[in-house]
Amino acid sequence: MKISYWPSISIIVPAHNEEKVIERCIKSLLEIDYPKKEIIVVDDGSTDRTYRLVKRYSARGVKVLRRERAGGKSVALNTGMLLARGEIIVTCDADSIISRDALKALVKRFQDPTVMAVAGNVKVLNRTNLITKCQALEYIVNENVYRRVFDIFGVVPVVPGPLAAFKRRALREIGLYDKDTLTEDFDITLKMLKAGKVVQALSNAIVYTEAPATWKDFYKQRLRWNRGTFQTLQKHWNIFRRSKFGFVHTLTFPYVLISMLFIPFASIFTIISLIYAILSGLGLQALYVMAGFMLLQATYSLLAIQMDDEDLKLIVFSPLFVIGYKEIRNFIKIKSFLDVFLFKKEMRWERIKRIG
């Protein structure tokens, strides 16, 4: 598609204690091939060298805002919006690297006047050990494949923080970001969808992000994600009850509920059944069943990897998505559900260690 007009873009980067990764992020943004872009970094009360490092790039046109007290990611993004002048607002996490041609790909999708938000394709940058490689495959299979389906109907569930693009006027109409959940990206997307906006996704607008490199940090990150997801589902529960929301009511919301509730709790009965079969002397039959599911998962993973033009070696981790890695994720989802709805725990943003 030939572009006759390049709209101005404002890239907002919220940052809190990101000294290990912030310069890498800014350098990648400066190198992006796009004619009319501005870069805005919002230092959200950092206590390390983040602000000093970012200020070095003021001479290269990077605009820097500093909040003396940390207000959270949603507040930092809204602060950046005060300075942003672009027709399209792009958010980028401080630990992420946007590919050089991503903005042009996003703008092409915005040529459709009905499209108000576009999600980028998030990939894991640091594929260094078992946990990061599992996450790399998870992003390819769970996130990017499923989003292609939702893209057809314009009801993509989440426009992710590492690369999210919005038409500025659409953000103004829905009231910008709220700070009442831990997953501001999921919340802002549902607000868009409830307002009748078209939300799509692109596979060729790529952003690389730093995934947790230890099981402890993985647990902390997923606990925040899942708690925030349940908070957002609770906040927007009227979607499930009202058919006026169209495909968001019949497709998007049920999908999230199934993945967050039905599958994790159903996995408990699966494990119990497997143990019972082994104790009853049906271990060989149970092994055959598990092997069949692993073969199906490997086939599905292979298709996803090929669709995304990814590393075929990741296929060796697909059995862990039947038993192992899958159960860990399901356990965290169940705990998060109990924390939000039963124990009413105080929710806070858990920091993870940056590798850089």
Side-chain angles (χ1 to χ4, degrees):
M1 180 188 296
K2 186 176 181 180
I3 305 294
S4 58
Y5 169 69
W6 297 102
S8 57
I9 290 181
S10 296
I11 308 170
I12 302 176
V13 184
H16 175 73
N17 291 345
E18 302 285 6
E19 62 180 4
K20 290 186 177 181
V21 294
I22 190 63
E23 286 192 280
R24 181 185 69 187
C25 175
I26 293 174
K27 288 175 182 177
S28 74
L29 296 178
L30 289 169
E31 292 173 0
I32 289 177
D33 180 22
Y34 193 81
K36 293 189 290 183
K37 70 176 188 284
E38 67 173 354
I39 302 168
I40 303 170
V41 179
V42 182
D43 178 74
D44 188 36
S46 294
T47 55
D48 63 0
R49 297 186 304 139
T50 297
Y51 180 72
R52 293 198 299 275
L53 293 175
V54 174
K55 283 296 290 182
R56 296 177 183 176
Y57 295 88
S58 295
R60 299 181 63 178
V62 176
K63 299 176 182 179
V64 187
L65 295 176
R66 187 177 191 183
R67 292 180 51 84
E68 292 299 327
R69 292 184 179 181
K73 189 175 178 181
S74 58
V75 174
L77 288 168
N78 288 340
T79 302
M81 282 286 294
L82 297 175
L83 189 63
R85 296 292 178 265
E87 298 169 61
I88 294 175
I89 304 296
V90 171
T91 69
C92 176
D93 287 348
D95 64 340
S96 301
I97 299 174
I98 298 178
S99 60
R100 285 178 56 87
D101 57 354
L103 295 191
K104 286 186 174 180
L106 291 170
V107 164
K108 288 180 181 178
R109 185 59 66 92
F110 280 117
Q111 295 301 296
D112 182 344
T114 65
V115 176
M116 293 295 155
V118 182
N121 186 348
V122 184
K123 294 179 178 288
V124 172
L125 176 65
N126 54 322
R127 307 177 186 186
T128 55
N129 56 21
L130 176 63
I131 182 62
T132 54
K133 289 176 182 178
C134 281
Q135 290 173 87
L137 181 59
E138 178 188 3
Y139 279 32
I140 295 166
V141 175
N142 290 0
E143 302 298 329
N144 300 324
V145 172
Y146 293 152
R147 286 193 310 163
R148 283 177 168 90
V149 176
F150 292 107
D151 175 69
I152 296 172
F153 299 96
V155 289
V156 172
V158 182
V159 182
L163 182 54
F166 306 92
K167 284 187 177 175
R168 178 190 177 91
R169 60 182 175 86
L171 279 175
R172 293 291 185 186
E173 287 175 14
I174 64 171
L176 304 183
Y177 288 87
D178 296 335
K179 61 178 298 183
D180 53 356
T181 74
L182 294 174
T183 47
E184 75 295 322
D185 49 1
F186 184 30
D187 181 45
I188 196 77
T189 306
L190 285 186
K191 287 173 66 176
M192 280 275 178
L193 293 172
K194 288 174 73 173
K197 312 298 185 185
V198 174
V199 180
Q200 295 194 314
L202 275 180
S203 59
N204 61 337
I206 298 172
V207 58
Y208 295 92
T209 192
E210 185 176 296
T214 66
W215 289 105
K216 179 181 178 181
D217 282 340
F218 174 79
Y219 173 76
K220 288 163 62 176
Q221 184 197 64
R222 293 307 171 96
L223 201 60
R224 176 181 67 81
W225 283 7
N226 294 325
R227 284 172 171 176
T229 298
F230 285 121
Q231 287 178 321
T232 307
L233 289 173
Q234 184 179 37
K235 176 181 176 180
H236 297 283
W237 187 249
N238 61 336
I239 292 177
F240 190 69
R241 293 185 286 108
R242 298 183 183 178
S243 59
K244 71 174 185 177
F245 292 115
F247 285 119
V248 189
H249 164 78
T250 57
L251 184 63
T252 304
F253 214 74
Y255 163 77
V256 178
L257 284 175
I258 289 171
S259 63
M260 294 299 296
L261 282 175
F262 177 77
I263 292 178
F265 281 101
S267 69
I268 296 175
F269 295 100
T270 302
I271 294 172
I272 293 173
S273 299
L274 183 62
I275 294 173
Y276 179 77
I278 294 173
L279 294 177
S280 302
L282 300 174
L284 188 59
Q285 289 87 336
L287 184 62
Y288 287 149
V289 172
M290 294 302 296
F293 278 114
M294 287 181 182
L295 180 59
L296 287 173
Q297 180 64 46
T299 303
Y300 179 56
S301 299
L302 177 61
L303 291 174
I305 289 170
Q306 290 181 327
M307 286 173 64
D308 227 29
D309 193 25
E310 265 289 351
D311 185 3
L312 284 172
K313 288 187 237 180
L314 290 173
I315 196 72
V316 301
F317 300 99
S318 64
L320 297 176
F321 286 73
V322 175
I323 186 167
Y325 182 68
K326 176 185 176 183
E327 275 63 45
I328 294 172
R329 289 185 300 150
N330 286 336
F331 165 76
I332 300 174
K333 288 179 181 179
I334 292 172
K335 184 184 185 307
S336 300
F337 172 79
L338 297 175
D339 286 346
V340 173
F341 293 105
L342 183 61
F343 303 130
K344 308 291 184 181
K345 283 194 175 182
E346 179 184 356
M347 304 299 161
R348 62 181 181 179
W349 190 287
E350 296 283 355
R351 299 291 301 174
I352 64 172
K353 184 179 179 181
R354 297 297 188 205
I355 304 300

